[in-house]
Amino acid sequence: MEDPYNRCDWGAKTPLTIEYHDERWCKPVHEEQELFAMLSLEIMSSGLSWSLILDKETGMRQAFDQFNPEVVATYDQPKIDELLKNSSIIRNTMKVNAIVQNAKAFLAIVQEIGSFDAYIWSFSDYQPIVHHATKLKDISAQSKLSETISKDFKKRGFRFVGPVIVYSYLQSIGIYNDHLEGCPWKYTHGQNRK
C-alpha cells in the first residue's frame, strides 16, 4: 500500500494500523484505566501481530469490562473459564490469568503511590523520551529502561511483562516516541490521550 503521508512503515498497512499509528501510538497516556488496558493488550500481543490485536481490540475491551482494573481484579475461575470460551479475545490461559493478576498488582501500586500514572511516568522523569531512528530496523526491541521496569513489575507481582513487552508498552503509552524521523506524526503527539 503506497503511503502519500510518509508514515512509519508499519503504520500504513491497513485502516486499523493507520488509525492506531496516527491517533494513538507514542501519544502520552495518563488515564488510569487506559494505562491498564494498553498493558493488557500488549500482553495479548506477545507472539502475535499487532494487526490481530487491533482487529480484536473492541471485543477484548468488551470481554474484559473495558479493562477496568477494579473489575478485572475480582475475576474468579468461572469468569476466567468463560473468557477462555470467548472467541472475541486471544484465548490463552497464561495471558488471561496474567491480566487478572496484573489488575491486582496495578491496584496495589495505586494504593501505595496514589496512581499508576505517577508510578509509570516517574521512570522517564514524567517526560516522553524521543528516539531518532530513521528505519524501522533501527528501533530496539528492548532497552535498559524496559529492563528496569520489567524487573520492578515482576517484583510487584506482574506477570507476562518481559522487557520486550514492556518496551512495546512504553511506546503504546507515549513514554517512548519511536515515530521515525520524517514521519509527520513524530512531533504531533505531545497532547495527552485518554
Side-chain angles (χ1 to χ4, degrees), residues 12 24 32 45-46 76 82 111 116 138 142 148 168 172 183 185 189-190:
R24 298 166 57 194
E32 296 287 294
S45 77
S46 178
D76 55 12
E82 176 190 318
Q111 181 72 28
F116 187 83
D138 296 333
Q142 62 186 63
T148 298
S168 293
S172 75
C183 173
W185 281 267
H189 281 38

Side-chain angles (χ1 to χ4, degrees), residues 23 29 64 69 141 172:
E23 302 297 326
V29 178
F64 282 92
S172 75

